[in-house]
Amino acid sequence: QVQLVESGGGSGQAGGALRLSCAASGYAERSSPMGWFRQAPGKGREAREAVATITRNGTTTYSDSVKGRFTISRDSATRTLYLQMNNLKPEDTAMYYCAARIGDSAPLWHRAYTIWGQGTQVTVSS
């Protein structure tokens, strides 16, 4: 059974940092295209916002709102995806999800991803 499990969320202050992890298991491919998405409080699944994605060969893409502050990376050997979040802002408060897809590209569009974790909450206070 394919499974993605996020961890590392929590509370932080504006200007601080958090690191999210996503452990993948249950499927053979070590380097599927993956991404981090977030869902703001009170908003539905269709409002999930792309944060950052990474392709099979390590090409990364970021949303404008996090560019220069967040870094996505992966360890293919351990099948772990990371999101380093620096210079946090209150508007970064959301449930953060990691996701994977079958294919080659890693678009900034949540509907392109078919495998999702359960999410980890990030709350940033001013």
Side-chain angles (χ1 to χ4, degrees):
Q1 180 181 355
V2 177
Q3 193 172 21
L4 300 176
V5 179
E6 302 95 335
S7 60
S11 298
Q13 291 201 323
L18 286 173
R19 189 192 197 204
L20 306 184
S21 300
C22 173
S25 63
Y27 60 98
E29 190 168 0
R30 291 185 177 274
S31 299
S32 296
M34 297 186 72
W36 287 97
F37 297 79
R38 64 188 182 187
Q39 186 170 331
K43 298 205 173 177
R45 183 182 178 120
E46 283 303 306
R48 280 186 187 177
E49 173 194 13
V51 175
T53 64
I54 187 167
T55 65
R56 294 175 188 280
N57 64 5
T59 300
T60 57
T61 305
Y62 297 90
S63 69
D64 289 342
S65 61
V66 307
K67 202 172 293 183
R69 301 189 296 123
F70 291 9
T71 302
I72 187 172
S73 62
R74 74 194 307 165
D75 182 336
S76 295
T78 62
R79 301 186 185 184
T80 304
L81 183 73
Y82 299 100
L83 184 69
Q84 179 65 44
M85 304 187 294
N86 297 330
N87 191 19
L88 287 165
K89 301 178 179 180
E91 51 263 43
D92 294 322
T93 295
M95 184 71 81
Y96 282 72
Y97 298 88
C98 73
R101 68 185 299 266
I102 298 171
D104 293 323
S105 63
L108 289 171
W109 186 47
H110 72 278
R111 287 195 176 187
Y113 296 77
T114 56
I115 304 167
W116 290 84
Q118 83 289 349
T120 186
Q121 179 68 39
V122 171
T123 303
V124 183
S125 57
S126 57

